[in-house]
Every structure is written in C-alpha cells, then in structure tokens.
Amino acid sequence: MKGEVNIPISVEWSKEEVVDVVNFFEAIDQAYNKGVDRDLLAALYKSYKKVVPSKAEEKQSFKEYEKQTGQSPYHVVKKAKDLEESIIKMKE
C-alpha cells in the first residue's frame, strides 16, 4: 500500500474481525500491484461482508479507502465477479 493508509475499521470489531477487514484491503492492494488469486479474493470478501454486512457501510469504507490509495475495492470485486480469470490484476 502506498505510504500510510488508515484502513477503515471500527473499535467495536473483535481482533479477528479487524484482521479479516485488513486482509481484504491488502488483497485489494495486491490486485493493483502483482495480482491476486480470484478465489482468495472471493473468500476474503466473504469474510469482509460478515464484518460489514451493510451495503451503505461497505460503500463508505470503499470510498474512504479509494480516496487514500486511488485503488477501487468496488472495481476489484466487480472484476472478480464478472470475469473468469484466475488472477485479478488491475491497471492503475
């Protein structure tokens, strides 16, 4: 990830939930750098959705992350859902 990134987390989450969210956002970063395995990304997104089930909260955290990094979690997840590629690689 570029420089200091404040990953959107909540103080109400357990340690395991924070780890799930951080792992998801690290996979987003990986998709922009060297590529990420589609199945791994899907599993991490599923774990992320257990922590952040609200679409509005997801949208807000995605926007916050994108503002800091220039990387769009929404577009990474969409590409993973839409394409059959085994490695998801985004262009910056």
Side-chain angles (χ1 to χ4, degrees):
M1 286 184 223
K2 297 175 182 163
E4 275 296 304
V5 176
N6 293 318
I7 293 178
I9 57 173
S10 170
V11 293
E12 297 172 8
W13 295 342
S14 72
K15 201 179 289 186
E16 291 79 18
E17 290 172 327
V18 170
V19 168
D20 286 344
V21 170
V22 168
N23 286 341
F24 169 71
F25 283 110
E26 284 178 345
I28 298 302
D29 183 59
Q30 208 175 17
Y32 277 89
N33 292 309
K34 59 184 178 203
V36 66
D37 181 79
R38 182 172 172 253
D39 294 336
L40 173 64
L41 180 67
L44 291 170
Y45 180 65
K46 189 175 180 179
S47 296
Y48 171 83
K49 286 307 292 175
K50 287 180 183 171
V51 180
V52 184
S54 157
K55 216 33 170 167
E57 196 179 340
E58 174 185 309
K59 226 175 172 178
Q60 185 180 352
S61 71
F62 279 14
K63 195 181 289 185
E64 192 177 315
Y65 179 83
E66 185 172 2
K67 195 165 78 176
Q68 292 182 66
T69 64
Q71 300 172 344
S72 171
Y74 170 79
H75 286 108
V76 174
V77 170
K78 184 172 179 358
K79 185 173 185 176
K81 286 180 179 178
D82 292 349
L83 301 176
E84 294 296 317
E85 299 169 12
S86 61
I87 300 294
I88 303 302
K89 175 85 171 99
M90 303 299 287
K91 295 179 184 131
E92 293 207 46

